[in-house]
Amino acid sequence: MKITVIGGGPGGLYFSILTKKARPDWEITVYERNKPDDSFGFGVVFSDETLSEFLKRDMQSYELIRSNFAYWDDIIIARDGQSVNIAGNGFCGCSRKKLLQLLHQRCQEEGVKLYFEQNVDDLSQFSNSDIIVACDGIGSQIRTQFQDQFGTKIALKQNRFVWCGSTKPLDAFTYFFRNTEHGLIVAHSYQYEPGMSTWIFECSNETWEKHGFEITNEADTVSKIETIFAQELDGHSLITNKSNWRQFPHITNEKWYHKNIVLLGDAKATAHYSIGSGTKLAMDSAIGLSDAVLANPNDVQAAFQNYEKSRRNTVEMIQHAALVSLDWFENMDRNNQHPFYQFAFGCMTRSKKVTFENLKLRDESFTDKVLKEFNDNCNINIKNQSAAFSTFRLRNLELQNRIVMSSMGQYSAKNGLVNDWHFQHYTSRAIGGLGLIMTEMTAVSETGRITLGCAGIYNNNQIIEWKRITNFIHQNTQTKIGIQLGHSGRKGATKKPWEENDLDEKWELLSASAIPFNEKFTTPKEMTLSDMDLICSQFVQATKNAAEADFDMIELQAHHGFLLASFLSPLTNKRNDEFGGSIENRLKFPLRVFTEMRNVFPKEKPMSVRISATDWSENGISDEDVIAIATAFATAGADIINVSTGNTVANQKPQTGRMWQVPFSDSIRNTVHIPTITAGNITDIDQINTIILNGKADLVALGKPLLLDANFVRNAQAYEQFQPEDIPNQYKMGISHLYPLKASERRQTEGMKKALKPKSNKK
């Protein structure tokens, strides 16, 4: 087989080494545009995990790299002179130039042909090659020629960064954050060989512009940055090497191969440097491509298919983690408002891969500092008090912990009347120790229901049945219960989720505009002023009814495309009157409803508003709209915003995953400065603690985890060895069984995590 590799970066070289080592009879040639000793950038970073993979694949490469790297176990986070060390992280730095030289040596040892100063833009000269590996970097000429076939997408991210070097010695990977008159600037810095360290400086575009930086003016850049980071550089100067300011390009390709051309390295996919995965991603993919080609020597297309199938999910996961990490740095000015240890904790956990428990296993002294700062700020005197089980206050309402049951439709009411099913559903979870329960969406009128099984609170019988539930919870538990009041709008008059046949008789639907939710729904009536008056009066009466039923809190439903939400989104509000157009106009009716509800609900009791922070659809609600919405409700008297997303339109494309809605809560909480509730695939107590300690939300709502586990909180308390005061006397004898069991399970889990942690590759 004849293989041509275009681009002599680490990925292309490593692919060539592995493949030629396994098949010495194959002809493999590398063409590189630069000279052998050229290198742009300074150092590269590998984790213990990555090094261990190199060890398994090619001992010679591993030993060469290992003999030339600088190893560190600590990460240091410093902000304006205050710093903290976090141990147990296992990374190494290596000169990029040295890495390339070592890989050149291995190529020569294995018989790979290397040609330098070869700028390849015409592939016709390689017409007799079985495989052409395009790994010619971020600006790949080959990928660009066939961008339609590859489905290439390139998105420039917001922040500006510049790559420099220095002779400043460093004992650990260090994030130096420095506040300036124009905003925060961070230096990602690490030593990669004796006497040499990499310094990547990053800031927002606004900060960059205000400082008057110029893209290609290295002298001006160095002069200004050396002044700003004089304390950190400690007399050492910066070294440049084509150190131009750039914006990071996030590159994806829908397909990784076309005919006999296959993409590798940055030509295929990029991962932001803040998780140190660019070179790792390239070399890991080189392993995948080599494996696939060696397994299919007589079928190139099958090899490419196997390569993409085996690597795409991993690559996309790394890219997602890198984007989440990048997002933290793009919002570091907002994160900067946090106390120091919370700020440092946020930096360490920014990609979601690392959590509170991960860090505790690595360096308990650091997590103790994070917890102490949190507890001191909450006026909690108990040492190492779990964040999830700290109290939280809204007006006169004090919650015993930060865990909430999210609104989940039970679709089991008859004529809007809750029954024994609802009684056991809510009371069992209250006994289970939740801080707050939010009821399913409860309709303010008969025609405000989503299905015939939806609960209501628009007549006296409904008040009586709800009060039976709230009375039991108040008399037997310390859990608080709130009611979500809403109106289905254009999403009403439909079947229950588990039913096959739709309703035979539908009632008239209302919405901001006459746009059906999908082809199965009838077209709603665009609301008139008299309709608004009627709906508003129904919400007000339902609020009075909720107060009579002794609910502790009310949440207004203004999310997921239901009636009030239909006014907020430009996808569902196409009105030409005073209630359409600008976000200020779209807010008018929902704000009127909230204000009139607030006026009749007891002042000592809090109110929440649940909103959708994105429609997950093009031309939907904007980030600026969301901040305006949250600000308006906060000004009107909302005590907390429950942040959800989507379900506004049927053709949405949500980006789901672990804790996927948390960033929206973070944005609202730390921009509008109002407490928030977050939700979205949050499954365990570790995630809950991590979110709260990060300052991304004040309360964490669970939905599905509570459906089959009414005692989620009790199990979590036992796992944390937290001793609550609200376990009923009838159940206290169970403590002696559950707590040792969960302690044992935790020890086993932590033991497995420690055992699976890659061994140190320190020399």
Side-chain angles (χ1 to χ4, degrees):
M1 180 178 285
K2 184 174 183 178
I3 300 175
T4 299
V5 179
I6 311 299
L13 294 173
Y14 201 54
F15 162 79
S16 302
I17 293 164
L18 297 180
T19 309
K20 185 68 171 176
K21 182 178 179 180
R23 292 299 301 262
D25 55 315
W26 288 1
E27 181 182 342
I28 303 178
T29 308
V30 178
Y31 294 86
E32 165 57 36
R33 69 168 68 94
N34 298 308
K35 298 176 182 179
D37 292 332
D38 286 346
S39 179
F40 306 105
F42 295 90
V44 296
V45 177
F46 296 122
S47 67
D48 275 331
E49 181 182 10
T50 302
L51 288 169
S52 297
E53 185 65 22
F54 293 168
L55 171 63
K56 288 188 293 185
R57 293 292 178 158
D58 183 47
M59 173 67 81
Q60 295 95 320
S61 297
Y62 168 80
E63 288 296 345
L64 286 171
I65 295 170
R66 185 169 174 264
S67 63
N68 286 275
F69 65 41
Y71 190 90
W72 63 85
D73 194 55
D74 288 3
I75 288 177
I76 298 175
I77 296 175
R79 183 175 68 178
D80 295 338
Q82 186 175 10
S83 66
V84 62
N85 288 46
I86 302 103
N89 294 285
F91 285 92
C92 83
C94 178
S95 162
R96 178 177 174 82
K97 184 174 181 178
K98 176 61 71 173
L99 175 64
L100 292 176
Q101 290 173 344
L102 299 176
L103 294 176
H104 291 163
Q105 177 182 330
R106 286 290 301 123
C107 281
Q108 291 165 352
E109 290 171 353
E110 295 297 340
V112 175
K113 297 177 183 177
L114 301 176
Y115 292 97
F116 297 97
E117 298 181 78
Q118 303 289 319
N119 190 30
V120 176
D121 54 12
D122 180 9
L123 297 183
S124 62
Q125 58 186 301
F126 307 117
S127 58
N128 61 342
S129 293
D130 298 292
I131 293 175
I132 297 174
V133 181
C135 50
D136 49 342
I138 285 176
S140 170
Q141 293 177 327
I142 298 174
R143 183 199 63 222
T144 303
Q145 287 181 43
F146 301 100
Q147 59 185 3
D148 292 339
Q149 287 82 358
F150 290 125
T152 305
K153 293 180 181 178
I154 303 175
L156 285 181
K157 309 313 290 184
Q158 298 174 16
N159 276 7
R160 298 276 184 169
F161 70 95
V162 62
W163 210 300
C164 298
S166 176
T167 55
K168 163 73 176 177
L170 294 168
D171 296 327
F173 191 108
T174 306
Y175 295 104
F176 290 114
F177 293 90
R178 177 60 65 178
N179 277 292
T180 74
E181 59 182 331
H182 300 308
L184 198 62
I185 303 179
V186 60
H188 310 244
S189 56
Y190 55 91
Q191 187 162 308
Y192 60 86
E193 64 181 35
M196 288 299 297
S197 52
T198 291
W199 293 67
I200 308 171
F201 298 95
E202 179 180 2
C203 62
S204 69
N205 187 63
E206 181 181 5
T207 297
W208 184 82
E209 289 179 343
K210 287 182 177 178
H211 274 287
F213 288 118
E214 300 173 47
I215 292 175
T216 59
N217 192 335
E218 290 184 342
D220 178 72
T221 294
V222 167
S223 175
K224 289 175 178 175
I225 288 182
E226 284 183 346
T227 300
I228 294 168
F229 287 88
Q231 181 178 339
E232 290 80 2
L233 288 166
D234 192 26
H236 293 264
S237 60
L238 291 175
I239 302 167
T240 60
N241 181 353
K242 293 195 174 181
S243 299
N244 298 331
W245 287 94
R246 291 176 284 167
Q247 292 169 273
F248 187 81
H250 178 67
I251 297 174
T252 58
N253 287 279
E254 293 177 5
K255 192 175 181 182
W256 291 357
Y257 59 92
H258 169 61
K259 295 183 177 178
N260 68 331
I261 305 169
V262 63
L263 299 176
L264 184 65
D266 284 344
K268 170 179 62 64
T270 56
H272 192 250
Y273 53 81
S274 63
I275 63 170
S277 287
T279 305
K280 166 189 164 55
L281 197 64
M283 295 180 74
D284 281 351
S285 290
I287 293 171
L289 179 58
S290 179
D291 286 347
V293 171
L294 292 170
N296 298 273
N298 300 314
D299 191 339
V300 169
Q301 293 304 303
F304 290 170
Q305 290 169 9
N306 288 353
Y307 162 57
E308 184 164 344
K309 182 178 179 180
S310 67
R311 287 294 304 165
R312 180 171 284 278
N313 185 54
T314 301
V315 167
E316 289 180 349
M317 286 175 61
I318 292 173
Q319 284 194 293
H320 176 73
L323 282 178
V324 175
S325 173
L326 177 154
D327 181 75
W328 190 91
F329 284 100
E330 287 190 337
N331 290 291
M332 62 184 174
D333 283 293
R334 186 179 75 205
N335 297 321
N336 193 33
Q337 67 188 286
H338 295 315
F340 176 69
Y341 289 114
Q342 185 179 71
F343 176 82
F345 180 74
C347 184
M348 289 297 297
T349 59
R350 64 189 180 276
S351 71
K352 297 193 296 187
K353 184 178 180 180
V354 177
T355 63
F356 178 79
E357 286 185 18
N358 295 143
L359 285 176
K360 187 174 182 180
L361 288 174
R362 295 182 191 184
D363 189 344
E364 191 169 2
S365 67
F366 172 64
T367 51
D368 283 349
K369 292 182 179 77
V370 175
L371 265 181
K372 184 179 186 305
E373 182 185 74
F374 175 83
N375 291 330
D376 287 348
N377 290 335
C378 294
N379 296 315
I380 297 171
N381 296 320
I382 304 173
K383 183 180 179 182
N384 294 335
Q385 165 74 63
S386 172
F389 299 119
S390 60
T391 59
F392 189 72
R393 194 173 188 86
L394 293 166
R395 298 203 181 203
N396 288 359
L397 182 68
E398 183 171 274
L399 306 180
Q400 65 177 340
N401 60 57
R402 308 290 188 106
I403 307 175
V404 179
M405 184 171 86
S406 192
S407 296
M408 293 183 287
Q410 297 300 291
Y411 307 107
S412 301
K414 294 182 179 179
N415 298 317
L417 201 66
V418 293
N419 50 46
D420 287 348
W421 176 265
H422 301 85
F423 184 87
Q424 72 78 31
H425 173 65
Y426 293 113
T427 60
S428 62
R429 284 151 184 81
I431 291 172
L434 286 160
L436 174 66
I437 288 173
M438 294 306 307
T439 71
E440 59 205 276
M441 189 283 280
T442 304
V444 299
S445 68
E446 186 175 11
T447 55
R449 293 177 295 167
I450 303 168
T451 74
L452 293 175
C454 288
I457 193 165
Y458 45 83
N459 64 41
N460 193 58
N461 287 338
Q462 293 164 352
I463 297 172
I464 292 171
E465 289 304 310
W466 274 121
K467 195 165 185 178
R468 186 166 76 98
I469 294 171
T470 61
N471 281 346
F472 180 93
I473 290 174
H474 291 147
Q475 291 168 12
N476 294 282
T477 77
Q478 292 182 27
T479 298
K480 308 303 180 184
I481 182 167
I483 186 170
Q484 186 186 92
L485 297 180
H487 189 293
S488 59
R490 69 179 192 149
K491 297 174 76 175
T494 189
K495 63 183 180 66
K496 300 174 186 178
W498 52 79
E499 291 178 336
E500 294 184 3
N501 298 321
D502 205 353
L503 301 184
D504 294 329
E505 297 182 11
K506 293 178 177 285
W507 53 86
E508 182 181 59
L509 303 181
L510 298 174
S511 191
S513 297
I515 306 170
F517 178 65
N518 62 31
E519 66 279 359
K520 295 180 180 179
F521 282 77
T522 57
T523 300
K525 173 190 175 185
E526 181 174 298
M527 288 179 66
T528 63
L529 290 176
S530 60
D531 291 328
M532 293 182 197
D533 290 340
L534 175 62
I535 295 297
C536 193
S537 68
Q538 290 172 344
F539 271 98
V540 168
Q541 185 58 54
T543 301
K544 294 176 180 178
N545 294 347
E548 186 178 343
D550 204 17
F551 281 98
D552 300 302
M553 177 177 172
I554 285 178
E555 179 168 276
L556 178 63
Q557 178 208 53
H559 72 304
H560 286 188
F562 295 110
L563 183 62
L564 297 184
S566 73
F567 279 84
L568 297 175
S569 172
L571 298 177
T572 50
N573 185 341
K574 303 294 185 181
R575 301 175 71 99
N576 295 315
D577 61 6
E578 62 178 307
F579 299 99
S582 69
I583 186 56
E584 291 75 18
N585 284 356
R586 286 182 270 137
L587 265 163
K588 284 182 179 178
F589 180 59
L591 273 179
R592 175 192 169 188
V593 172
F594 177 86
T595 301
E596 295 196 23
M597 291 171 65
R598 182 68 270 181
N599 288 339
V600 299
F601 195 54
K603 292 182 179 179
E604 68 275 10
K605 293 187 175 185
M607 284 184 62
S608 167
V609 182
R610 191 170 190 189
I611 65 172
S612 284
T614 178
D615 295 324
W616 297 115
S617 184
E618 191 175 356
N619 299 318
I621 203 164
S622 70
D623 294 342
E624 293 75 17
D625 287 348
V626 171
I627 296 302
I629 291 167
T631 301
F633 280 118
T635 303
D639 301 284
I640 192 166
I641 303 293
N642 193 343
V643 186
S644 188
T645 63
N647 292 316
T648 304
V649 292
N651 61 340
Q652 65 174 4
K653 295 180 179 179
Q655 297 173 11
T656 60
R658 289 179 300 128
M659 302 179 280
W660 59 291
Q661 297 184 121
V662 172
F664 300 97
S665 168
D666 180 13
S667 174
I668 291 170
R669 181 185 188 272
N670 294 302
T671 302
V672 181
H673 304 293
I674 184 172
T676 58
I677 305 173
T678 191
N681 200 13
I682 299 165
T683 57
D684 61 45
I685 191 64
D686 184 28
Q687 293 174 350
I688 294 171
N689 281 323
T690 302
I691 291 165
I692 295 169
L693 288 169
N694 257 317
K696 295 180 182 293
D698 298 275
L699 303 176
V700 175
L702 306 178
K704 293 175 184 176
L706 290 170
L707 286 177
L708 293 179
D709 186 4
N711 287 305
F712 175 95
V713 172
R714 297 300 182 207
N715 286 308
Q717 288 168 337
Y719 180 82
E720 298 269 281
Q721 296 295 292
F722 174 79
Q723 301 290 335
E725 298 178 354
D726 70 321
I727 295 178
N729 290 329
Q730 299 94 320
Y731 291 166
K732 283 183 177 177
M733 289 182 66
I735 295 173
S736 62
H737 166 76
L738 184 63
Y739 276 61
L741 174 64
K742 291 300 176 183
S744 175
E745 290 178 356
R746 182 167 190 169
R747 285 193 299 270
Q748 291 178 15
T749 300
E750 291 177 348
M752 289 174 61
K753 287 181 179 178
K754 290 178 181 178
L756 291 171
K757 188 178 187 296
K759 293 181 179 180
S760 171
N761 290 272
K762 189 172 184 178
K763 298 189 289 284

